[in-house]
Amino acid sequence: MNIVVLNGSPKGDISVTMQYIHYIQKKYKQHRLTIINIAKNIHKIEKDKAYFENIMDAIKSSDGVLWAFPLYVFTVSSSYQRFIELIFERNMTAVFKEKYTSLLATSIHFYDHTAINYMHAICDDLDMHYVDDFSPHMYDLEKEAIRNNLLLFAKNFFDAIENQVTTLKAFNPVKHAPINYVSEIQQDKLDASNKKIIIVTDSLENSNLKNMIHAFKLSFVQSIEVVNLQDLDIKGGCLGCLKCGYDYTCVYHDKDDYIRFYNNTLKAADIIIFAGTIQHRYLSYRWKMFLDRGFFNTHTPSLSNKQFGFILSGPLNQVPNLRQILEAYVQWQGSHLVGFVTDEYATNSELDNHLYALANNLIKLSDCNYRRPTTFLGIAGMKLFRDEIWGELRFPFIADHKAYRTHNVYDFPQKYYTSRIRNFVLMLMCKIPFIRKEIYSNKIKPGMIASLEKIVNNDSVS
Ligand SMILES: Cc1cc2nc3c(=O)[nH]c(=O)nc-3n(C[C@H](O)[C@H](O)[C@H](O)COP(=O)(O)O)c2cc1C
């Protein structure tokens, strides 16, 4: 069987992910796995039409396609995403139609599910036969149980192709027919004199997005800065070189405008609006490049204590995966998400009102420094990083380790001496049946609220 492996690692052959592929290849010599370095060669793929067509031909004549990629900032690397965009832009979807496919993603499991969802949905959009996905931790190949399962995953893929099994679709096609938005209502202008607000967008070509940004800006007395990522000099995507691990120094450094913009402008803002167009279940490749390059801060939050808003043209309600990625991004950064406004409304005035409400809430919540508590998205993400940086990834991520120590991210082992003594005593008491019965029947519920009641009833607590 001839399987095409589409390598999503910007590092090309020197890739963790490819070690999993080599392992499969070694154990299944009867099948041929042809690796194509997609992310590493994206410039050539984009510029050299013949090269792109050769790749399409290889896929066309293959028995199956294995998308093999590292996680990059909640999904795939920007270069891999660009390849996906090119498939649609160049009308090559027929090449993928009804091909059997599976995903192999390596990561440290930080939002690997959103990357899998994204790629699975793309495969469904391409009308492929999606067999399975396999998402090990980057070093899981060292574990025998995972190696055994990896081989079963591969066997299942080969068997599915051989037997032409029926596969299940998980994602419905996305449909979006927005109104042609033109602002109709002018409301009282808001005073943002003591706030630094910035809107970052990737394009002003989409007229709905352009008009939404314009209407949003008109909500304020002051003029609001808009930065178009197309005008920002960004030389390329993150290369995954990890030079930033030592002290946050990016390999691009001052070769382009990215770091200067990020550190001097974005970090200085009180209120940040990200604006863009949803295409192929994400924002544009330019946006992804922008977000990936933020990895020069490695695993240290770098945009904390801001109020965030999103202005999006596109069917966000049909792409909950993207909503979760953006929510998680803001939470993990230690900032506060005020809300999303999209062009999914039925009338101009509804959209006007929502844009104004977003502007109003951003100012109001920034003034009182309100933050609703972080949910699982931010808390779990940070705990995962905490464990990784404490353990396996302390080197090369030395800068993270220093920052985590300084900011008390290493909140373990949990000492909590009072609760440990209380737990010890209660566990001992519960060994006696009649006390256990009394505790579990009559004491647990009042016990759970005792400390909270004290606060509620204490008039001196502010
Ligand atoms: C820029 C960048 C972004 C990353 N983002 C994530 C992420 O969002 N979630 C995660 O679990 N791992 C993330 N990782 C870790 C890689 O996915 C992981 O190290 C992977 O195994 C690398 O595979 P490769 O050597 O094939 O490129 C990121 C690494 C880099 C360099």
Side-chain angles (χ1 to χ4, degrees):
M1 217 171 272
N2 179 21
I3 306 297
V4 163
V5 178
L6 299 173
N7 179 7
S9 175
K11 294 184 286 181
D13 298 332
I14 314 170
S15 143
V16 168
T17 317
M18 287 308 107
Q19 306 317 305
Y20 290 74
I21 298 297
H22 296 324
Y23 188 76
I24 294 173
Q25 178 67 92
K26 197 173 147 197
K27 298 288 175 177
Y28 290 105
K29 293 209 168 73
Q30 67 275 34
H31 302 304
R32 186 151 56 93
L33 271 59
T34 308
I35 299 174
I36 305 178
N37 286 335
I38 298 294
K40 182 155 191 238
N41 295 332
I42 192 62
H43 295 303
K44 188 168 160 66
I45 293 171
E46 193 164 8
K47 297 220 164 69
D48 183 341
K49 285 261 161 67
Y51 188 61
F52 177 77
E53 268 152 29
N54 282 346
I55 296 173
M56 293 299 120
D57 288 344
I59 293 169
K60 210 183 287 174
S61 59
S62 72
D63 298 298
V65 174
L66 195 51
W67 301 85
F69 56 90
L71 254 281
Y72 265 37
V73 190
F74 300 91
T75 62
V76 299
S77 69
S78 61
S79 313
Y80 209 46
Q81 187 186 318
R82 180 64 189 139
F83 176 70
I84 291 164
E85 284 180 7
L86 288 175
I87 296 167
F88 290 97
E89 264 174 44
R90 296 181 180 174
N91 296 320
M92 286 294 166
T93 55
V95 171
F96 293 80
K97 192 175 163 62
E98 292 178 3
K99 285 273 170 214
Y100 278 81
T101 192
S102 280
L103 311 180
L104 174 69
T106 69
S107 70
I108 58 169
H109 291 308
F110 178 83
Y111 286 89
D112 56 343
H113 68 292
T114 50
I116 299 285
N117 284 340
Y118 164 74
M119 281 304 306
H120 190 159
I122 292 293
C123 291
D124 281 356
D125 289 347
L126 289 170
D127 210 3
M128 302 181 84
H129 289 303
Y130 188 92
V131 180
D132 199 5
D133 42 71
F134 198 79
S135 175
H137 182 281
M138 56 189 290
Y139 289 123
D140 271 351
L141 195 60
E142 294 167 1
K143 297 176 187 153
E144 190 184 353
I146 301 280
R147 290 197 298 275
N148 291 341
N149 275 303
L150 177 69
L151 295 181
L152 289 174
F153 160 79
K155 182 175 183 312
N156 187 30
F157 183 47
F158 300 136
D159 289 351
I161 300 172
E162 199 168 306
N163 300 317
Q164 298 284 291
V165 299
T166 303
T167 53
L168 307 177
K169 287 250 187 289
F171 296 89
N172 285 329
V174 168
K175 295 189 187 99
H176 186 52
I179 54 167
N180 284 326
Y181 170 61
V182 183
S183 178
E184 285 172 354
I185 306 172
Q186 283 280 321
Q187 317 228 27
D188 292 346
K189 288 198 186 279
L190 303 161
D191 183 6
S193 53
N194 58 347
K195 299 288 165 203
K196 184 156 175 20
I197 306 178
I198 182 161
I199 301 172
V200 186
T201 183
D202 61 334
S203 166
L204 293 174
E205 277 165 27
N206 171 339
S207 66
N208 270 6
L209 183 65
K210 187 171 149 193
N211 292 346
M212 284 195 285
I213 291 173
H214 186 66
F216 177 81
K217 281 173 64 185
L218 287 182
S219 309
F220 301 98
V221 176
Q222 294 76 13
S223 85
I224 306 295
E225 185 182 3
V226 179
V227 173
N228 188 340
L229 295 179
Q230 303 295 343
D231 302 333
L232 195 69
D233 178 25
I234 307 178
K235 288 271 184 293
C238 174
L239 305 174
C241 66
L242 305 190
K243 287 213 170 60
C244 49
Y246 183 69
D247 62 358
Y248 306 128
T249 304
C250 179
V251 68
Y252 289 97
H253 190 46
D254 53 6
K255 292 195 180 82
D256 64 15
D257 283 345
Y258 183 87
I259 308 283
R260 184 195 48 73
F261 170 72
Y262 196 97
N263 284 341
N264 300 347
T265 310
L266 206 54
K267 275 187 181 175
D270 303 300
I271 294 172
I272 298 179
I273 315 299
F274 283 174
T277 302
I278 298 173
Q279 51 191 72
H280 311 306
R281 299 181 184 266
Y282 194 80
L283 303 175
S284 69
Y285 137 82
R286 190 78 182 168
W287 252 121
K288 187 63 173 65
M289 187 189 276
F290 182 84
L291 294 171
D292 284 5
R293 284 284 302 277
F295 191 77
F296 79 94
N297 296 290
T298 56
H299 307 88
T300 307
S302 53
L303 295 175
S304 46
N305 294 321
K306 318 221 173 280
Q307 301 289 339
F308 260 90
F310 290 91
I311 297 177
L312 303 174
S313 171
L316 185 66
N317 287 332
Q318 295 171 61
V319 196
N321 194 53
L322 176 59
R323 180 186 285 267
Q324 186 176 109
I325 289 171
L326 299 176
E327 281 174 0
Y329 172 81
V330 175
Q331 285 203 18
W332 174 74
Q333 286 286 7
S335 271
H336 184 248
L337 175 63
V338 176
F340 297 89
V341 176
T342 71
D343 56 359
E344 292 166 291
Y345 297 101
T347 62
N348 287 328
S349 59
E350 270 179 288
L351 192 36
D352 279 338
N353 284 334
H354 281 85
L355 286 167
Y356 187 76
L358 176 67
N360 198 16
N361 286 340
L362 283 161
I363 294 288
K364 196 173 74 186
L365 301 184
S366 180
D367 276 342
C368 63
N369 200 17
Y370 172 71
R371 282 188 61 183
R372 80 179 75 78
T374 307
T375 67
F376 179 83
L377 301 180
I379 292 173
M382 204 58 215
K383 283 187 192 294
L384 189 150
F385 282 164
R386 176 198 67 186
D387 287 5
E388 286 289 342
I389 300 301
W390 175 261
E392 199 135 24
L393 296 187
R394 188 180 304 189
F395 178 82
F397 295 109
I398 296 169
D400 283 334
H401 176 59
K402 285 186 189 156
Y404 282 17
R405 262 204 324 222
T406 310
H407 296 111
N408 294 325
V409 175
Y410 294 139
D411 57 355
F412 56 58
Q414 295 152 350
K415 298 206 173 71
Y416 301 151
Y417 288 119
T418 321
S419 17
R420 278 161 75 176
I421 293 167
R422 193 200 56 199
N423 289 343
F424 176 76
V425 172
L426 286 170
M427 283 162 78
L428 212 61
M429 286 166 74
C430 280
K431 288 196 187 297
I432 303 162
F434 80 90
I435 298 183
R436 180 168 70 239
K437 188 168 176 232
E438 173 60 13
I439 289 176
Y440 276 93
S441 307
N442 299 322
K443 299 283 188 237
I444 290 220
K445 283 195 272 178
M448 279 169 74
I449 63 167
S451 64
L452 306 175
E453 255 183 339
K454 248 192 229 159
I455 294 174
V456 174
N457 296 331
N458 186 346
D459 291 336
S460 62
V461 171
S462 59

